[in-house]
Amino acid sequence: MSTVQGARARARIEVTAAIKDEARKQLAADGATRLSLRAVARELGMVSSALYRYFPSRDELLTALIVDAYDAVGEAAEQALARQRAAASPAARWTAVCRAVRAWALAHPHEYALIYGSPVPGYTAPEATVGPAARVGLVLISIARDAHQGKGIAPPPLAAPLRAEAERMAADFAPDLPPAVAAALVAAWAQLFGLVSFEVFGQFHRVVEDREPFFAQAAEQLARSVGLVLPA
C-alpha cells in the first residue's frame, strides 16, 4: 500500500469513527428511532452526500452501531472469563461473566437499549449482526462445556414435552452437551438479560434497592440452573 493509500485508509477509519461517535450521542439524546444521517452530518460539519459515502443509509449506520455494541458486550464477557484463574470453578467463571455483562450495560445504557430494547420501527437486522450477538452466549456455553468435560455437570430435569426441542437446540449450538443443559443454557441466557434489562430500564425502582448482591445471588442461581455446582 502506498503512503497516499495508507493515509486515505487512516482518514476513512477516523471519519467512520467520528460518524459513529456522533450517532451514539444522538442515540443517547433522542433514541434510535430519530437517528438521522443529515443530523449527524450537520453536527460533524459534513455535507450529507459526503456522509453517504461512508454509510449509504440510516439502516447501515444502525447496523454498524448494533454490531459495535454486541461486540463490546461480547468482549467484556470474554475478558471477564480470561481474567479468571484456571483453578476457578465453572460457577465462579459464570458469575464473573454475568457481572461483566451487567457492568457493561450499566456503563453503556443507550447502546444496551439499542440491542436489547424495543425494536427500531422499519429496521430489520441483517445477517452481519448474528455472529456478534452470539458472543455472550458462546462464552456461557464454553463454561458449561468445560465443566462437562472436567469434573462434570449436573444436568437439570428435562420435561418430556421439551425433549425433542432440547435435542434440536443441543444439535444446533452445543452438540457436546446434554440436551437438558442446552435448554437450560438458553433459559439462563434469556434470564440474564432479563435481569440486566430490568435494572437498566428502571423496572427495579423501589423494588430492589441493593442491586449488586441481588444480581450476584441471581447469577449464582442461574449457574445452578444449568448444572454448575457452586463451591462450598
Side-chain angles (χ1 to χ4, degrees), residues 6 42 53 66 92 114 119 121 123 127 176 207 218 222 224 230:
R42 182 173 60 250
R53 291 199 294 269
I66 288 169
L114 180 63
Y123 173 79
E127 188 72 19
D176 49 350
V207 177
L222 293 178
R224 290 191 186 95
L230 294 171

Side-chain angles (χ1 to χ4, degrees), residues 1 3-19 46 54:
M1 180 180 290
T3 302
V4 173
Q5 289 174 320
R8 287 174 178 171
R10 289 192 297 273
R12 185 172 184 85
I13 290 171
E14 291 172 0
V15 174
T16 300
I19 291 169
M46 300 173 64
Y54 295 85

Side-chain angles (χ1 to χ4, degrees), residues 30-185:
D30 303 316
T33 58
R34 299 185 64 183
L35 180 64
S36 162
L37 291 182
R38 290 182 180 277
V40 170
R42 182 173 60 250
E43 291 299 321
L44 293 175
M46 300 173 64
V47 295
S48 298
S49 58
L51 189 146
Y52 291 142
R53 291 199 294 269
Y54 295 85
F55 296 100
S57 68
R58 182 211 66 163
D59 284 5
E60 291 199 26
L61 177 55
L62 267 179
T63 296
L65 298 176
I66 288 169
V67 168
D68 283 355
Y70 276 132
D71 278 337
V73 68
E75 184 176 356
E78 291 160 2
Q79 289 179 349
L81 180 60
R83 284 193 296 268
Q84 292 295 298
R85 295 179 181 178
S89 70
R93 298 174 196 170
W94 175 282
T95 54
V97 168
C98 291
R99 288 195 300 269
V101 169
R102 172 180 178 263
W104 181 87
L106 293 176
H108 305 87
H110 303 292
E111 292 166 68
Y112 181 86
L114 180 63
I115 53 178
Y116 289 110
S118 300
V120 180
Y123 173 79
T124 301
E127 188 72 19
T129 62
V130 174
R135 288 177 67 170
V136 171
L138 291 175
V139 172
L140 298 177
I141 290 170
S142 75
I143 296 170
R145 181 180 293 117
D146 288 347
H148 185 55
Q149 293 173 349
K151 294 182 179 180
I153 198 167
L158 181 63
L162 181 58
R163 177 158 295 279
E165 177 64 4
E167 290 174 350
R168 183 202 62 77
M169 286 191 280
D172 279 355
F173 58 80
D176 49 350
L177 289 175
V181 174
L185 279 166

